[in-house]
């Protein structure tokens, strides 16, 4: 049965001829049915909402699985990582806990006329865990992770990108999900930059307007390595701003311990020694190193020495780091 607050909002907005409020309430209702796996009813509601509007309406709403060309705009997958799998600063972990509580208890908030926050900005260096944290939030909320594919979104002709953007946002707004924009500065650059074309500026304006109109069951997470390039309006729209710094020595030790416990991998060296010998790696690189050790140990047979594999790979990684440092 549909939630009472959604039905009440639907009736009130319809009686008051508030078209925007009616559409948002209807979209939230469709999203609820999608989440309950009531696909037939969700499609019927979607069709009814679509027929309610003129066929040339820019805000036409259709189901994600039925939107033509949407596969080129989004990569969808079921998330697996959990918050507990990640090494996070205390403040970041608290920010995530607060956000998740708002969405788990959204009925209470809505009974007071308040929506949970759903626009988040992740800032940090490459490999710092931004993508992993977006996936973990999707896991905790039991919703799919939808990653925007810029190669499908950005067009070469005037107005093409805005049209594709309409398709993308119309598709996602009727289902609970995490909509993830990696390298957000690629599409949300500062409009005051004199080197950017007028088309890019129009794209940024259209993107921000689309994000503003999304209902709260669509959690938008934008990630960037270059926060200084973002348009100033982006900062105003993001309700939660999360900074993910480079891993500390203690953070790397904690990560290696957790990895060893989860996988059963014996590195053969203390995790403190490994952390000290990999001083400048990100969490993504640390995971790559651990996987390298795991592969080498498996391929070396049942009597393989984890210590030998770890030492050999530490030498290779240090040589690679030295080569990277010496590059012009």
């Amino acid at each position: 049965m549909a939630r009472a607050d959604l039905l009440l909002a639907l009736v009130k907005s319809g009686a008051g001829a508030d078209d925007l409020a009616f559409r948002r309430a209807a979209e939230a209702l469709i999203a609820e049915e999608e989440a309950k796996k009531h696909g037939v009813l969700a499609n019927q509601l979607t069709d009814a909402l679509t027929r309610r509007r003129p066929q040339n309406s820019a805000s036409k709403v259709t189901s994600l699985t039925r939107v033509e060309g949407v596969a080129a705009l989004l990569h969808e997958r079921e998330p697996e990582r959990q918050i507990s799998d990640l090494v996070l600063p205390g403040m970041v972990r608290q920010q995530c806990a607060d956000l998740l509580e708002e969405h788990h208890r959204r009925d209470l908030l809505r009974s007071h006329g308040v929506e949970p926050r759903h626009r988040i900005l992740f800032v940090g260096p490459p490999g710092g865990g931004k993508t992993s944290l977006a996936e973990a939030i999707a896991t905790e909320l039991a919703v799919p992770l939808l990653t925007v594919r810029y190669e499908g979104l950005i067009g070469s002709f005037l107005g093409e990108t805005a049209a594709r953007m309409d398709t993308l946002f119309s598709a996602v707004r009727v289902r609970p999900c995490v909509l993830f924009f990696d390298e957000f500065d690629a599409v949300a650059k500062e409009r005051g930059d004199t080197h950017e074309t007028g088309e890019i500026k129009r794209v940024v304006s259209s993107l921000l307007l689309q994000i503003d109109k999304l209902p709260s069951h669509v959690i938008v997470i934008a990630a960037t390595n270059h926060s200084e390039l973002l348009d100033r309006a982006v900062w105003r729209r993001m309700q939660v701003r999360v900074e993910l710094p480079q891993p500390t020595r203690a953070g790397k030790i904690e990560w290696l311990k957790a990895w060893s416990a989860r996988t059963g991998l014996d590195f053969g060296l203390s995790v403190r020694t490994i952390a000290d010998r990999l001083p400048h790696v990100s969490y993504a690189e640390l995971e790559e190193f651990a996987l390298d050790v795991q592969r080498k140990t498996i391929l070396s047979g049942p009597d393989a020495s984890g210590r030998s594999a770890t030492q050999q790979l530490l030498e290779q990684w240090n040589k690679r780091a030295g080569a990277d440092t010496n590059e012009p």
Side-chain angles (χ1 to χ4, degrees), residues 25-272:
E27 288 167 349
L29 186 59
I30 293 169
E32 286 280 319
E33 298 307 318
E34 286 275 8
K36 295 174 184 175
K37 308 298 184 184
H38 298 166
V40 174
L41 177 57
N43 287 338
Q44 290 174 339
L45 290 170
T46 298
D47 287 341
L49 188 60
T50 301
R51 287 196 298 271
R52 180 177 177 271
R53 296 181 162 272
Q55 290 302 308
N56 61 354
S57 171
S59 57
K60 184 170 71 174
V61 179
T62 50
S63 174
L64 176 60
T65 57
R66 299 173 60 191
V67 176
E68 184 179 355
V70 75
L73 307 176
L74 293 168
H75 173 68
E76 178 176 351
R77 65 190 176 97
E78 291 298 321
E80 297 179 357
R81 292 182 190 268
Q82 299 180 338
I83 293 284
S84 58
D85 295 335
L86 306 179
V87 177
L88 301 170
M91 180 176 290
V92 173
R93 194 171 291 278
Q94 185 60 53
Q95 286 178 297
C96 293
D98 291 344
L99 178 72
L100 293 172
E101 182 182 17
E102 290 179 21
H103 282 272
H104 287 313
R105 305 181 68 188
R106 57 187 177 274
D107 290 356
L108 176 59
L109 290 176
R110 285 171 177 162
S111 69
H112 292 270
V114 178
E115 291 291 323
R117 293 173 296 172
H118 65 111
R119 299 190 296 271
I120 304 113
L121 178 65
F122 289 168
V123 177
K130 299 185 292 296
T131 302
S132 296
L133 184 54
E135 180 183 352
I137 288 174
T139 300
E140 299 296 334
L141 294 175
V143 297
L145 176 66
L146 307 178
T147 301
V148 178
R149 301 175 61 176
Y150 295 136
E151 71 275 14
L153 182 64
I154 306 299
S156 56
F157 299 104
L158 184 66
E160 189 176 14
T161 301
R164 293 176 181 178
M165 207 174 290
D166 280 342
T167 300
L168 184 153
F169 281 95
S170 294
V172 302
R173 61 186 303 124
V174 293
R175 66 183 300 187
C177 62
V178 168
L179 181 62
F180 183 54
F181 289 85
D182 198 7
E183 299 182 5
F184 194 51
D185 47 278
V187 289
K189 286 185 178 179
E190 171 59 58
R191 282 169 289 183
D193 188 345
T194 57
H195 296 94
E196 294 298 344
T197 65
E199 173 70 356
I200 289 297
K201 294 176 182 178
R202 285 189 289 272
V203 167
V204 175
S205 298
S206 176
L207 174 64
L208 296 179
L209 287 173
Q210 293 278 15
I211 288 175
D212 278 345
K213 292 190 293 183
L214 283 176
S216 61
H217 59 256
V218 178
I219 296 92
V220 177
I221 299 180
T224 181
N225 308 328
H226 302 286
S227 57
E228 72 281 359
L229 298 180
L230 291 178
D231 190 271
R232 282 167 288 182
V234 171
W235 295 93
R236 294 197 304 271
R237 281 168 169 81
M238 295 304 174
Q239 299 158 311
V240 183
R241 303 169 191 172
V242 178
E243 293 193 17
L244 294 165
Q246 284 281 14
T248 62
R249 179 178 183 269
K252 285 184 283 189
I253 291 171
E254 182 182 348
W255 190 96
L256 288 164
K257 285 181 178 179
W259 176 275
S260 184
R262 189 166 62 250
T263 64
L265 177 64
D266 181 7
F267 288 104
L269 295 175
S270 75
V271 292
R272 290 176 176 79

